[in-house]
Amino acid sequence: MQERLLLTSSPHIGTKDTVSRVMLDVIIALLPATMGSIYFFGLPAFKLIMVSVIAAVATEAIIQKLTKKTITIKDCSAALTGLLLAMNIPPAAPWWIAAVGSAFAIGIAKQAFGGLGQNFINPALAGRAMLMASWPVIMTTWSAPGADAVATVTPLALLKPGSEATGELPSLMDAFVGNIGGCLGETSALLLLIGAAYLFYRRVISWRIPFTYIATVAVITLVASGGDFTNMLYHLFTGGLMIGAFFMATDYSSSPITVKGQIIFGIGAGVITSVIRLYGGYPEGVSYSILLMNLAAPIIEKYTSPKLFGEVK
Amino acid sequence: MKLSNLTFKGGIHPPYSKELSKKASIEPCIVPEVVVIPLSQHIGAPCDPIVKIGEAVKVGQKIGESKSFVSAPVHSSVSGVVKKIEEIDSPLGNKTKAVVIESDGKNEVSEEVKPKGNLEDLSPEEIVEIVKEAGITGQGGASFPTHVKLSPPPDKKIDTVILNGAECEPYLTADHRLMVEESESIVYGLKAIMKAVGVKKGYIGIEDNKPDAIEAMMKASANEPEIEIVSLETKYPQGDEKRLIDAATKRQVPAGGLPMDVGVIVNNVGTADAIAKAIKTGMPLVERVVTITGDAVVTPKNLMVKIGTSFKEVVEQCGGYKEGLGKIVMGGPMMGNAQFTDNVPVVKGTSGILLLSEKEVSAPPMDPCMRCGRCVYACPVNLQPTALEKLTSRERFDETEKYHIWSCIECGTCSYVCPARRPLVHSIRVAKKALSDKQKRESK
């Protein structure tokens, strides 16, 4: 018999799943949309993605090195944040926008609050919000798909009541496939849905946040437009709703952990998105809706503790 | 009412690994030269020895008892001479007094052991007394004295008895084999329990990964209109008694309550078998079925082992250890106790001896909690294990009570599903211990 036996408390077996595998799964799920953005927007898109991912990973490594913590870039979470941020940048933006955004996302929104699992807001969205506030023109200059980067307006700007933007609405099919202007990774609802299907298959995310989020936006935009079904579909398939609902709002760390809390979170994000899009100062409200709900997540979680088995009231 | 594929909310599907031993019929284990019989193998007061060093004893002879009601007497599993009464390491993780008996190899049965008559002629009180005298404790692993369970307070109206044949712990097949091979005896034992508590409704719950056991139990109970076989979805921890009651009767035991609060008594199938044997032959609980399995044992087996046989000798009968043994566990991999030595005796609650290789038990290092919530969704009691772990790591034990820490059944589901390998159930144990120590200090 062995001289030394392992002594730990039960259970003695465990899942083969790991944190890095979960993060890798999300990256894999983002690959169709990533490929799509390079196809639609060409080399500039590829450059922005590379810069963003590298800056995110480097920032994490440097901060952990400086603070003498274990370097955890192998868990893929920093790379994921970098990729997500790149997805939220307009294709015509200069490379340093991606670098600054990633450094902020990892340095301030994630590491300053304790790293993985401790960030109270979605780091990629925090990075985007910072870029929006600092370089609003760069962050809202859209180019149409194709090599020549013609300036264009987004469908949501055209849809906005009282908007001064002028132009032709793209066909609904183009909007669904992603052949429209917008941030790198948000234009193709189709490719994002393929990625989302993979996340469901791998059980990385549940239906609760994305479904309630999208359904809320659908209902409100349908009602607000007096039952205009096409208008509702534009709201669903353009802008950042798909990437927001499946990849941003589902961030474990900044959304409630409880079942009921997630449903409230999804509905809340849907309401805020719709209100900003229909009545607010911006044509798009996905980022801010999720960030605002991130702030509400702890209190939602606190009041939605699951009912204990056999709980006596 | 539908009686198949019943289950509860939450839970997990770990690899069951039962194919290693589920086809192995129960074989008698060798009678060792020396047995070490602990005087405390159950929940409750330990026994005092009633034999002296040098005294000759026979199989089934009582060697320890306690005046306390919540206790169970112990009996000799061999015939021979008492050599020592000393403190030993128990496989339950504590020190306990034990009677060391050197076997004479004759296996002479004590005169005290004689059949107790027909079940029809026995009164409920007599059945409870037989169970008590036979030292029967819950065979599922918890080792609660069975006669206590069969003596509910008069204000608790019991209407249902459930036999637990779920055996939801991965690897273990002792109950499985018992149901296949001793189905008549189990039904007899269930009838005895039903008579003892005056109940007309009996269920036997079995997970549906044991179709041969379900078939055997159905056959054995075909002429018993009061007994129904319930097939349960194969899911851990289906065999936890509150989950089992939920699945079979749709009754939820109130948090902090006992099965009898909803009129149910749950016993393991092995316990029913032991009761049947105590009535039919008069033989007290001196041996039990043990599954010896895992990827670090040469030949996995189900053996009928004399209480007091050392793990070492039991494993030797299975061809010994394979190279690279990492862990010896008493019980299943989800709730069993890791051992630091194989020099511990088989006790009444030893349902299995699990031998896992270093490879099987090695895990990548712990990661921070990323709040994926898998522990929350899998918890069969609807707790928030990650919140409990966080509070425990900050030593904020008092706050854990707000998160219902006392409702945790320590099934280990949370730790199993955690991709960051956080010590979730372990933290809960730590916090429970800290809280109870504090209560003790304050009551002084």
Side-chain angles (χ1 to χ4, degrees):
Chain A
M1 198 186 83
Q2 230 79 357
E3 289 284 296
R4 289 156 74 91
L5 291 167
L6 253 167
L7 269 184
T8 57
S9 73
S10 62
H12 307 289
I13 52 173
T15 174
K16 299 279 174 261
D17 245 340
T18 59
V19 168
S20 47
R21 175 71 220 217
V22 171
M23 295 298 160
L24 194 62
D25 272 337
V26 186
I27 293 177
I28 292 170
L30 276 170
L31 283 184
T34 309
M35 301 298 183
S37 72
I38 297 170
Y39 171 78
F40 289 124
F41 301 111
L43 200 60
F46 179 73
K47 265 196 239 160
L48 284 172
I49 292 165
M50 291 315 288
V51 169
S52 188
V53 171
I54 292 168
V57 174
T59 308
E60 179 140 305
I62 291 166
I63 288 179
Q64 287 174 333
K65 182 94 189 161
L66 291 178
T67 54
K68 298 192 172 59
K69 295 228 167 67
T70 320
I71 294 178
T72 59
I73 53 174
K74 267 207 232 153
D75 70 16
C76 301
S77 64
L80 172 59
T81 298
L83 181 58
L84 273 172
L85 179 77
M87 299 285 107
N88 279 290
I89 295 176
W95 66 270
W96 54 265
I97 279 281
V100 173
S102 270
F104 181 85
I106 296 291
I108 304 298
K110 186 183 176 192
Q111 288 301 334
F113 289 93
L116 181 66
Q118 303 291 327
N119 52 290
F120 68 100
I121 50 175
N122 185 315
L125 284 181
R128 184 194 193 187
M130 186 277 275
L131 294 175
M132 283 282 279
S134 309
W135 296 279
V137 178
I138 294 176
M139 288 301 286
T140 51
T141 302
W142 313 107
S143 51
D148 4 313
V150 188
T152 182
V153 285
T154 60
L156 282 178
L158 296 170
L159 284 172
K160 185 146 185 91
S163 160
E164 286 164 14
T166 50
E168 195 85 4
L169 257 183
S171 79
L172 202 51
M173 191 39 101
D174 276 344
F176 182 68
V177 174
N179 200 18
I180 52 170
C183 292
L184 285 188
E186 69 179 23
T187 54
S188 176
L190 174 67
L191 297 176
L192 289 166
L193 284 170
I194 291 170
Y198 176 76
L199 288 183
F200 284 120
Y201 165 73
R202 292 281 305 158
R203 296 180 184 222
V204 171
I205 60 170
S206 83
W207 61 271
R208 292 183 286 269
I209 291 177
F211 179 83
T212 52
Y213 188 176
I214 294 169
T216 305
V217 173
V219 169
I220 295 177
T221 53
L222 189 64
V223 171
S225 62
D228 184 345
F229 204 71
T230 316
N231 179 70
M232 178 200 84
L233 288 178
Y234 274 109
H235 271 288
L236 297 191
F237 296 136
T238 64
L241 184 60
M242 287 295 150
I243 194 168
F246 290 109
F247 292 92
M248 303 283 201
T250 52
D251 174 40
Y252 290 145
S253 176
S254 53
S255 63
I257 211 166
T258 57
V259 170
K260 259 190 260 167
Q262 293 180 343
I263 292 170
I264 294 170
F265 184 91
I267 294 172
V271 170
I272 298 172
T273 299
S274 309
V275 167
I276 295 177
R277 280 187 181 182
L278 298 172
Y279 310 108
Y282 292 107
E284 171 59 316
V286 168
S287 305
Y288 289 115
S289 76
I290 296 170
L291 286 171
L292 285 170
M293 290 312 289
N294 285 164
L295 301 182
I299 197 141
I300 294 174
E301 187 168 302
K302 187 175 171 190
Y303 288 106
T304 53
S305 277
K307 188 170 166 284
L308 195 62
F309 181 94
E311 184 160 304
V312 198
K313 282 274 160 136
Chain B
M1 185 187 134
K2 159 174 113 66
L3 288 175
S4 61
N5 201 29
L6 304 180
T7 191
F8 63 98
K9 202 181 129 283
I12 47 168
H13 297 278
Y16 269 62
S17 313
K18 290 185 189 264
E19 51 298 330
L20 288 172
S21 58
K22 73 176 185 189
K23 291 268 182 327
S25 300
I26 301 168
E27 297 170 43
C29 185
I30 41 115
V31 180
E33 281 170 25
V34 174
V35 288
V36 178
I37 300 176
L39 289 161
S40 175
Q41 306 181 23
H42 50 265
I43 294 173
C47 294
D48 295 315
I50 53 169
V51 286
K52 287 188 206 71
I53 292 167
E55 194 176 324
V57 292
K58 291 179 179 170
V59 179
Q61 183 181 333
K62 199 195 279 184
I63 55 173
E65 65 181 359
S66 162
K67 291 202 173 60
S68 173
F69 180 65
V70 184
S71 185
V74 293
H75 304 79
S76 177
S77 55
V78 294
S79 61
V81 180
V82 176
K83 280 282 161 196
K84 279 187 279 191
I85 296 171
E86 62 174 3
E87 188 140 286
I88 59 140
D89 291 311
S90 147
L92 302 165
N94 52 352
K95 296 253 181 206
T96 173
K97 254 193 192 168
V99 179
V100 180
I101 301 165
E102 196 175 272
S103 169
D104 58 14
K106 292 182 196 147
N107 269 326
E108 258 181 87
V109 174
S110 161
E111 298 76 31
E112 294 168 24
V113 176
K114 42 182 186 277
K116 308 290 183 190
N118 288 325
L119 187 55
E120 294 76 52
D121 306 330
L122 294 169
S123 71
E125 293 74 25
E126 283 171 321
I127 297 172
V128 175
E129 188 58 25
I130 292 167
V131 170
K132 180 170 189 272
E133 281 304 304
I136 295 172
T137 60
Q139 297 289 285
S143 299
F144 189 72
T146 302
H147 67 271
V148 182
K149 255 193 193 177
L150 301 188
S151 316
D155 60 316
K156 300 287 181 196
K157 184 83 198 81
I158 306 298
D159 60 15
T160 305
V161 172
I162 302 177
L163 281 194
N164 190 349
E167 202 166 48
C168 61
E169 271 275 8
Y171 287 99
L172 301 187
T173 55
D175 291 348
H176 183 174
R177 290 313 307 175
L178 206 56
M179 286 188 282
V180 171
E181 297 176 41
E182 298 289 339
S183 48
E184 306 271 341
S185 172
I186 291 169
V187 169
Y188 186 97
L190 173 55
K191 282 163 70 183
I193 296 168
M194 286 161 67
K195 185 160 187 193
V197 289
V199 160
K200 293 264 171 275
K201 187 82 230 162
Y203 293 104
I204 304 175
I206 308 168
E207 280 191 345
D208 56 13
N209 60 352
K210 297 179 258 297
D212 51 343
I214 295 174
E215 196 186 325
M217 293 311 305
M218 282 205 165
K219 218 168 132 201
S221 63
N223 297 322
E224 308 290 345
E226 295 176 345
I227 296 176
E228 285 189 271
I229 310 301
V230 180
S231 95
L232 309 161
E233 189 191 322
T234 301
K235 182 164 79 173
Y236 183 84
Q238 188 67 73
D240 171 69
E241 60 182 11
K242 292 184 184 177
R243 265 28 71 183
L244 184 62
I245 294 167
D246 183 19
T249 67
K250 295 280 159 275
R251 297 179 197 171
Q252 280 208 357
V253 178
L258 290 168
M260 61 180 166
D261 293 328
V262 292
V264 182
I265 284 178
V266 180
N267 276 289
N268 185 264
V269 287
T271 313
D273 178 58
I275 291 173
K277 280 169 186 154
I279 294 171
K280 283 187 188 163
T281 68
M283 182 59 80
L285 185 59
V286 293
E287 57 181 14
R288 67 155 298 145
V289 184
V290 179
T291 303
I292 301 92
T293 183
D295 64 342
V297 64
V298 174
T299 317
K301 283 184 178 177
N302 297 293
L303 297 178
M304 185 63 88
V305 183
K306 301 262 184 198
I307 304 294
T309 312
S310 79
F311 280 25
K312 188 173 194 286
E313 282 168 289
V314 176
V315 175
E316 271 165 15
Q317 204 182 326
C318 300
Y321 305 104
K322 278 191 199 162
E323 199 60 26
L325 173 71
K327 236 181 206 180
I328 299 179
V329 177
M330 181 175 92
M334 293 301 296
M335 290 187 77
N337 291 333
Q339 307 294 318
F340 66 89
T341 168
D342 57 1
N343 188 24
V344 282
V346 167
V347 292
K348 293 173 185 177
T350 309
S351 48
I353 300 175
L354 179 61
L355 305 149
L356 297 171
S357 68
E358 276 175 301
K359 191 170 152 272
E360 186 69 23
V361 294
S362 70
M366 187 167 84
D367 281 324
C369 169
M370 58 174 171
R371 289 175 38 92
C372 64
R374 291 178 193 195
C375 56
V376 178
Y377 315 133
C379 177
V381 192
N382 301 341
L383 299 176
Q384 291 166 268
T386 173
L388 288 163
E389 194 230 5
K390 258 175 215 152
L391 291 171
T392 302
S393 67
R394 286 160 202 171
E395 300 192 17
R396 284 153 65 178
F397 301 122
D398 290 341
E399 288 167 69
T400 61
E401 289 189 310
K402 277 188 237 148
Y403 284 89
H404 312 292
I405 190 166
W406 294 110
S407 291
C408 174
I409 58 171
E410 299 180 24
C411 64
T413 296
C414 49
S415 294
Y416 177 89
V417 294
C418 181
R421 290 161 305 281
R422 306 296 304 174
L424 298 168
V425 68
H426 182 75
S427 298
I428 292 172
R429 292 189 183 116
V430 168
K432 277 183 176 176
K433 178 79 169 58
L435 285 169
S436 70
D437 285 354
K438 193 179 156 211
Q439 273 163 10
K440 270 181 217 153
R441 275 201 306 276
E442 280 166 3
S443 64
K444 258 180 202 162

PDB file of all heavy atoms in Angstrom, chain A residues 214-231:
ATOM      1  N   ILE A 214     -34.448  39.926 -24.347  1.00  0.00           N
ATOM      2  CA  ILE A 214     -34.885  40.113 -25.733  1.00  0.00           C
ATOM      3  C   ILE A 214     -36.415  40.213 -25.813  1.00  0.00           C
ATOM      4  O   ILE A 214     -36.964  41.060 -26.524  1.00  0.00           O
ATOM      5  CB  ILE A 214     -34.346  38.963 -26.622  1.00  0.00           C
ATOM      6  CG1 ILE A 214     -32.823  39.048 -26.683  1.00  0.00           C
ATOM      7  CG2 ILE A 214     -34.949  39.021 -28.024  1.00  0.00           C
ATOM      8  CD1 ILE A 214     -32.153  37.835 -27.300  1.00  0.00           C
ATOM      9  N   ALA A 215     -37.091  39.354 -25.031  1.00  0.00           N
ATOM     10  CA  ALA A 215     -38.558  39.372 -25.074  1.00  0.00           C
ATOM     11  C   ALA A 215     -39.094  40.725 -24.598  1.00  0.00           C
ATOM     12  O   ALA A 215     -40.067  41.254 -25.157  1.00  0.00           O
ATOM     13  CB  ALA A 215     -39.118  38.238 -24.208  1.00  0.00           C
ATOM     14  N   THR A 216     -38.463  41.302 -23.586  1.00  0.00           N
ATOM     15  CA  THR A 216     -38.922  42.596 -23.076  1.00  0.00           C
ATOM     16  C   THR A 216     -38.760  43.684 -24.136  1.00  0.00           C
ATOM     17  O   THR A 216     -39.681  44.482 -24.378  1.00  0.00           O
ATOM     18  CB  THR A 216     -38.133  42.973 -21.804  1.00  0.00           C
ATOM     19  OG1 THR A 216     -38.258  41.910 -20.867  1.00  0.00           O
ATOM     20  CG2 THR A 216     -38.656  44.254 -21.190  1.00  0.00           C
ATOM     21  N   VAL A 217     -37.592  43.687 -24.789  1.00  0.00           N
ATOM     22  CA  VAL A 217     -37.376  44.674 -25.852  1.00  0.00           C
ATOM     23  C   VAL A 217     -38.404  44.461 -26.969  1.00  0.00           C
ATOM     24  O   VAL A 217     -38.998  45.416 -27.496  1.00  0.00           O
ATOM     25  CB  VAL A 217     -35.934  44.574 -26.407  1.00  0.00           C
ATOM     26  CG1 VAL A 217     -35.769  45.473 -27.633  1.00  0.00           C
ATOM     27  CG2 VAL A 217     -34.926  44.944 -25.335  1.00  0.00           C
ATOM     28  N   ALA A 218     -38.657  43.203 -27.319  1.00  0.00           N
ATOM     29  CA  ALA A 218     -39.609  42.895 -28.386  1.00  0.00           C
ATOM     30  C   ALA A 218     -40.985  43.447 -28.040  1.00  0.00           C
ATOM     31  O   ALA A 218     -41.622  44.141 -28.849  1.00  0.00           O
ATOM     32  CB  ALA A 218     -39.675  41.384 -28.611  1.00  0.00           C
ATOM     33  N   VAL A 219     -41.442  43.165 -26.846  1.00  0.00           N
ATOM     34  CA  VAL A 219     -42.797  43.589 -26.448  1.00  0.00           C
ATOM     35  C   VAL A 219     -42.898  45.122 -26.428  1.00  0.00           C
ATOM     36  O   VAL A 219     -43.820  45.706 -27.008  1.00  0.00           O
ATOM     37  CB  VAL A 219     -43.154  42.996 -25.069  1.00  0.00           C
ATOM     38  CG1 VAL A 219     -44.434  43.635 -24.537  1.00  0.00           C
ATOM     39  CG2 VAL A 219     -43.310  41.488 -25.165  1.00  0.00           C
ATOM     40  N   ILE A 220     -41.913  45.770 -25.812  1.00  0.00           N
ATOM     41  CA  ILE A 220     -42.016  47.229 -25.682  1.00  0.00           C
ATOM     42  C   ILE A 220     -41.941  47.912 -27.046  1.00  0.00           C
ATOM     43  O   ILE A 220     -42.734  48.802 -27.354  1.00  0.00           O
ATOM     44  CB  ILE A 220     -40.918  47.775 -24.734  1.00  0.00           C
ATOM     45  CG1 ILE A 220     -41.156  47.237 -23.316  1.00  0.00           C
ATOM     46  CG2 ILE A 220     -40.925  49.315 -24.720  1.00  0.00           C
ATOM     47  CD1 ILE A 220     -40.109  47.653 -22.310  1.00  0.00           C
ATOM     48  N   THR A 221     -41.011  47.471 -27.895  1.00  0.00           N
ATOM     49  CA  THR A 221     -40.895  48.138 -29.199  1.00  0.00           C
ATOM     50  C   THR A 221     -42.112  47.842 -30.068  1.00  0.00           C
ATOM     51  O   THR A 221     -42.546  48.681 -30.862  1.00  0.00           O
ATOM     52  CB  THR A 221     -39.605  47.716 -29.948  1.00  0.00           C
ATOM     53  OG1 THR A 221     -39.553  46.288 -30.021  1.00  0.00           O
ATOM     54  CG2 THR A 221     -38.381  48.235 -29.247  1.00  0.00           C
ATOM     55  N   LEU A 222     -42.679  46.671 -29.898  1.00  0.00           N
ATOM     56  CA  LEU A 222     -43.892  46.333 -30.659  1.00  0.00           C
ATOM     57  C   LEU A 222     -45.051  47.236 -30.231  1.00  0.00           C
ATOM     58  O   LEU A 222     -45.753  47.818 -31.069  1.00  0.00           O
ATOM     59  CB  LEU A 222     -44.249  44.857 -30.446  1.00  0.00           C
ATOM     60  CG  LEU A 222     -45.360  44.291 -31.330  1.00  0.00           C
ATOM     61  CD1 LEU A 222     -44.935  44.312 -32.798  1.00  0.00           C
ATOM     62  CD2 LEU A 222     -45.706  42.858 -30.920  1.00  0.00           C
ATOM     63  N   VAL A 223     -45.216  47.346 -28.930  1.00  0.00           N
ATOM     64  CA  VAL A 223     -46.324  48.160 -28.416  1.00  0.00           C
ATOM     65  C   VAL A 223     -46.102  49.641 -28.768  1.00  0.00           C
ATOM     66  O   VAL A 223     -47.008  50.326 -29.242  1.00  0.00           O
ATOM     67  CB  VAL A 223     -46.466  47.975 -26.891  1.00  0.00           C
ATOM     68  CG1 VAL A 223     -47.454  48.983 -26.304  1.00  0.00           C
ATOM     69  CG2 VAL A 223     -46.911  46.555 -26.566  1.00  0.00           C
ATOM     70  N   ALA A 224     -44.850  50.113 -28.585  1.00  0.00           N
ATOM     71  CA  ALA A 224     -44.562  51.533 -28.809  1.00  0.00           C
ATOM     72  C   ALA A 224     -44.765  51.933 -30.272  1.00  0.00           C
ATOM     73  O   ALA A 224     -45.110  53.071 -30.572  1.00  0.00           O
ATOM     74  CB  ALA A 224     -43.133  51.850 -28.374  1.00  0.00           C
ATOM     75  N   SER A 225     -44.538  50.970 -31.178  1.00  0.00           N
ATOM     76  CA  SER A 225     -44.698  51.308 -32.597  1.00  0.00           C
ATOM     77  C   SER A 225     -46.118  51.010 -33.074  1.00  0.00           C
ATOM     78  O   SER A 225     -46.381  50.998 -34.275  1.00  0.00           O
ATOM     79  CB  SER A 225     -43.692  50.525 -33.436  1.00  0.00           C
ATOM     80  OG  SER A 225     -43.960  49.133 -33.290  1.00  0.00           O
ATOM     81  N   GLY A 226     -47.004  50.753 -32.140  1.00  0.00           N
ATOM     82  CA  GLY A 226     -48.394  50.495 -32.496  1.00  0.00           C
ATOM     83  C   GLY A 226     -48.576  49.193 -33.256  1.00  0.00           C
ATOM     84  O   GLY A 226     -49.427  49.064 -34.132  1.00  0.00           O
ATOM     85  N   GLY A 227     -47.734  48.199 -32.907  1.00  0.00           N
ATOM     86  CA  GLY A 227     -47.916  46.881 -33.500  1.00  0.00           C
ATOM     87  C   GLY A 227     -47.162  46.692 -34.805  1.00  0.00           C
ATOM     88  O   GLY A 227     -47.468  45.788 -35.576  1.00  0.00           O
ATOM     89  N   ASP A 228     -46.147  47.520 -35.043  1.00  0.00           N
ATOM     90  CA  ASP A 228     -45.354  47.384 -36.273  1.00  0.00           C
ATOM     91  C   ASP A 228     -44.319  46.278 -36.085  1.00  0.00           C
ATOM     92  O   ASP A 228     -43.272  46.464 -35.466  1.00  0.00           O
ATOM     93  CB  ASP A 228     -44.667  48.719 -36.579  1.00  0.00           C
ATOM     94  CG  ASP A 228     -43.896  48.676 -37.895  1.00  0.00           C
ATOM     95  OD1 ASP A 228     -43.656  47.564 -38.405  1.00  0.00           O
ATOM     96  OD2 ASP A 228     -43.538  49.751 -38.389  1.00  0.00           O
ATOM     97  N   PHE A 229     -44.623  45.116 -36.664  1.00  0.00           N
ATOM     98  CA  PHE A 229     -43.797  43.931 -36.447  1.00  0.00           C
ATOM     99  C   PHE A 229     -42.402  44.086 -37.047  1.00  0.00           C
ATOM    100  O   PHE A 229     -41.403  43.712 -36.442  1.00  0.00           O
ATOM    101  CB  PHE A 229     -44.513  42.729 -37.075  1.00  0.00           C
ATOM    102  CG  PHE A 229     -44.109  41.431 -36.463  1.00  0.00           C
ATOM    103  CD1 PHE A 229     -44.511  41.094 -35.167  1.00  0.00           C
ATOM    104  CD2 PHE A 229     -43.308  40.544 -37.162  1.00  0.00           C
ATOM    105  CE1 PHE A 229     -44.134  39.891 -34.602  1.00  0.00           C
ATOM    106  CE2 PHE A 229     -42.923  39.340 -36.589  1.00  0.00           C
ATOM    107  CZ  PHE A 229     -43.347  39.013 -35.307  1.00  0.00           C
ATOM    108  N   THR A 230     -42.333  44.709 -38.222  1.00  0.00           N
ATOM    109  CA  THR A 230     -41.040  44.901 -38.892  1.00  0.00           C
ATOM    110  C   THR A 230     -40.142  45.804 -38.055  1.00  0.00           C
ATOM    111  O   THR A 230     -38.961  45.534 -37.873  1.00  0.00           O
ATOM    112  CB  THR A 230     -41.253  45.546 -40.271  1.00  0.00           C
ATOM    113  OG1 THR A 230     -42.358  44.886 -40.878  1.00  0.00           O
ATOM    114  CG2 THR A 230     -40.034  45.404 -41.139  1.00  0.00           C
ATOM    115  N   ASN A 231     -40.724  46.874 -37.546  1.00  0.00           N
ATOM    116  CA  ASN A 231     -39.979  47.785 -36.686  1.00  0.00           C
ATOM    117  C   ASN A 231     -39.387  47.049 -35.495  1.00  0.00           C
ATOM    118  O   ASN A 231     -38.226  47.247 -35.113  1.00  0.00           O
ATOM    119  CB  ASN A 231     -40.927  48.891 -36.213  1.00  0.00           C
ATOM    120  CG  ASN A 231     -40.233  49.860 -35.283  1.00  0.00           C
ATOM    121  OD1 ASN A 231     -39.387  50.619 -35.689  1.00  0.00           O
ATOM    122  ND2 ASN A 231     -40.584  49.796 -34.006  1.00  0.00           N
TER     123      ASN A 231
END
